[in-house]
Amino acid sequence: MNAKETQTTASSQSKMLRGSAWMTAGSIFSRVLGAIYIIPWWAWLGSAALAANGLFTKGYQIYGVFIIISTAGIPSAVAKQIAHYNAMNEYATSIRLWWHGIIATSILGVISAAILWFAAPLLAAGDSRMIPVFHSLAWAILVIPMLSIMRGYFQGVSDMAPSAISQLVEQFVRVIYMLASVYFIMKMGNGDYILAVTHSTFAAFIGALAGILMLVAIFIRRWPRIRAQMAHSANQIDVSVNQLLMDIARQAIPFIIMDSAINWYYIIDQYTYKPMWGHLFNWSVNHMNDLYALYAGNANKLIMIVVSLASAMGITVIPLLSAAVTRHEMHDVSRQMTNAIQLFSIVMIPASLGMMAIAQPLYVVFYGYDGTGIRMLEVSCILAVALGLYTVLAALLQGVFRNRLAIMLMLVGIVVKVVLQYPLSALFGAYGPMLASLAGLGVNSILMLRKLWQYYHFKVFQTSRRVAGMLFFGSLMFAVVRIAMWLMNYFIPAVSKPGAVAELIVALILGGGVYGYLVLKTHLADMILGGRVAGIRRILRMQ
């Protein structure tokens, strides 16, 4: 490898780590904030909390698909195309593409919001309580495309800080509005939980406006630098507006399909659980609604904290891969894929196993004690690894312009999910849909890994050894934490919030300490995260 290739590789890895750090921090804080609000929200809703969370979850599953359609995958597509043109020194073309992307997403936002508003009675599937929830979410769809396209620009230039900051601002303002409205309705108003849920979902609109204002302010501040880049643009290519829009559409459509895949897994559950469970078990409608809320609402909200880690890595790696492919630096592509998979593993494996280890006190802190809910959270923690791995691998395929292949493999997983939904529900009851999703995503991931190795020859044996080490260390951490919690339960049972908080504090310190010590002592962290980790070891006086 020559000096130029070495410098490019180091730069790419540095950008991936820095970008992943920003996006991971933004995603974690955003998700944690989006989970912590549930504690007062749940308490203020009282006996209606589970029913309210069921309505909230059903609304957000459909809303998630509409958001992906209304942005048409354009933010990720724009990030990818901006990285492509910038690698060619065509900065003026990048800005033109971004501006026309704003116009396109704004139009799609209006159309999608109108469809959601008028289709609300149909999407409610006979549950009239869902109609005002869908109407409130239609407002958010009007403005979120603008927010997303602005994030797409910053991601395209590998500047992840604005996206991360805006994500946190959006979530913070959303949670403030949500909690304030629920408190006034449930504690000072008429106690109408449907109205409380409606305002909770309308909070997405308020949060999106705050995020837009934040990004506009950052863009204005950086405009002189952007204008200077445009002044030195090569301007060797002449791309028409129609061609720019076609480029966006061609790249965006695969993102629509791929980004909505996880939503479709949950939507399949949303529209099949009642007829399926009703036929299999003769359960009452209320009981089925409660079980659905336990795993699709309660457990899912918690595991999405760790899944957001994978989403952050996926967002970071797409423009870096696209730029490397444009420069025909295939060695760099292979290394970036290896780094992305290993970086995902060193974070996601301990996060998921750790959450599984502390499932009981964690669930009690947020929702109160519920044996079924706790077991569903434990199964969901395993599902979180599959969701995260699918997210990263799909991003890798899209980053190297293998969109058609990514879609085909994703559809195979969806078919596996549909085929296994009924038989696994018959065998495992309410856990069946989660296990069917795990099987579908597992098939997805195996097929994607095989194709990535076949085409780009990422370091599969090195990755396998390191992942095996992470699994071993994660399992040791899991065992230590579970034993410690078992001993603590004799003195402070985690069936009430005070006892659960005490167990969480001890478990987090103990689990983080065990895993951190193992990956630092064996230098596994250095191999994946780079030489800077040695500084942590020196501070801790470790060899």
Side-chain angles (χ1 to χ4, degrees), residues 335-462:
R335 290 187 190 92
Q336 285 185 41
M337 287 184 174
T338 303
N339 291 337
I341 295 170
Q342 293 182 10
L343 183 59
F344 161 82
S345 302
I346 200 171
V347 175
M348 195 72 181
I349 288 173
S352 299
L353 287 174
M355 182 174 282
M356 187 177 180
I358 61 172
Q360 179 171 334
L362 184 66
Y363 194 94
V364 170
V365 166
F366 281 91
Y367 306 109
Y369 184 84
D370 186 305
T372 303
I374 292 166
R375 288 188 293 274
M376 284 187 168
L377 176 57
E378 290 175 336
V379 176
S380 294
C381 289
I382 302 172
L383 179 60
V385 179
L387 289 169
L389 184 58
Y390 165 81
T391 301
V392 170
L393 296 179
L396 293 179
L397 284 171
Q398 289 169 289
V400 293
F401 302 92
R402 294 278 182 173
N403 297 328
R404 185 177 300 179
L405 175 62
I407 292 169
M408 289 175 59
L409 298 182
M410 181 272 288
L411 291 175
V412 171
I414 292 287
V415 170
V416 171
K417 157 76 172 174
V418 172
V419 169
L420 294 179
Q421 184 88 333
Y422 189 94
L424 288 179
S425 292
L427 288 171
F428 301 101
Y431 301 92
M434 288 184 284
L435 296 175
S437 295
L438 182 61
L441 291 163
V443 170
N444 271 155
S445 298
I446 291 170
L447 294 175
M448 287 179 175
L449 281 168
R450 182 174 178 273
K451 289 298 182 181
L452 288 171
W453 177 76
Q454 180 181 343
Y455 292 137
Y456 302 102
H457 306 292
F458 72 89
K459 297 179 180 179
V460 65
F461 297 111
Q462 179 196 89

Side-chain angles (χ1 to χ4, degrees), residues 31 59-77 104-105 108-109 112-113 116 137 140-142 144-146 148-149 248-249 251-267 311 390-391 398 410:
R31 290 288 184 179
Y60 257 79
Q61 296 298 354
I62 299 298
Y63 164 74
V65 174
F66 269 84
I67 282 296
I68 292 169
I69 293 173
S70 64
T71 57
I74 289 178
S76 296
T105 49
L108 282 170
S112 297
L116 179 57
L137 288 167
I141 292 176
L142 282 172
I144 282 183
M146 171 75 73
S148 299
I149 199 71
I248 292 173
Q251 295 299 326
I253 290 172
F255 280 102
I256 295 176
I257 299 170
M258 298 301 294
D259 290 354
S260 64
I262 291 176
N263 295 85
W264 283 113
Y265 275 87
Y266 284 102
I267 287 172
S311 299
Y390 165 81
T391 301
Q398 289 169 289
M410 181 272 288

Side-chain angles (χ1 to χ4, degrees), residues 229-285:
Q229 288 178 329
M230 291 171 63
H232 292 89
S233 180
N235 296 324
Q236 296 298 308
I237 60 175
D238 182 19
V239 185
S240 67
V241 172
N242 287 339
Q243 183 60 46
L244 286 172
L245 293 176
M246 286 299 296
D247 285 345
I248 292 173
R250 188 169 57 251
Q251 295 299 326
I253 290 172
F255 280 102
I256 295 176
I257 299 170
M258 298 301 294
D259 290 354
S260 64
I262 291 176
N263 295 85
W264 283 113
Y265 275 87
Y266 284 102
I267 287 172
I268 290 169
D269 295 339
Q270 183 169 322
Y271 288 101
T272 61
Y273 79 92
K274 281 185 183 178
M276 182 174 63
W277 290 348
H279 179 262
L280 285 170
F281 307 111
N282 264 335
W283 290 336
S284 70
V285 172

Side-chain angles (χ1 to χ4, degrees), residues 33-83:
L33 191 59
I36 287 177
Y37 87 83
I38 201 71
I39 298 173
W41 191 85
W42 193 270
W44 294 338
L45 281 160
S47 60
L50 194 57
N53 204 26
L55 295 179
F56 185 92
T57 300
K58 290 178 184 178
Y60 257 79
Q61 296 298 354
I62 299 298
Y63 164 74
V65 174
F66 269 84
I67 282 296
I68 292 169
I69 293 173
S70 64
T71 57
I74 289 178
S76 296
V78 166
K80 183 176 175 181
Q81 290 300 97
I82 284 175

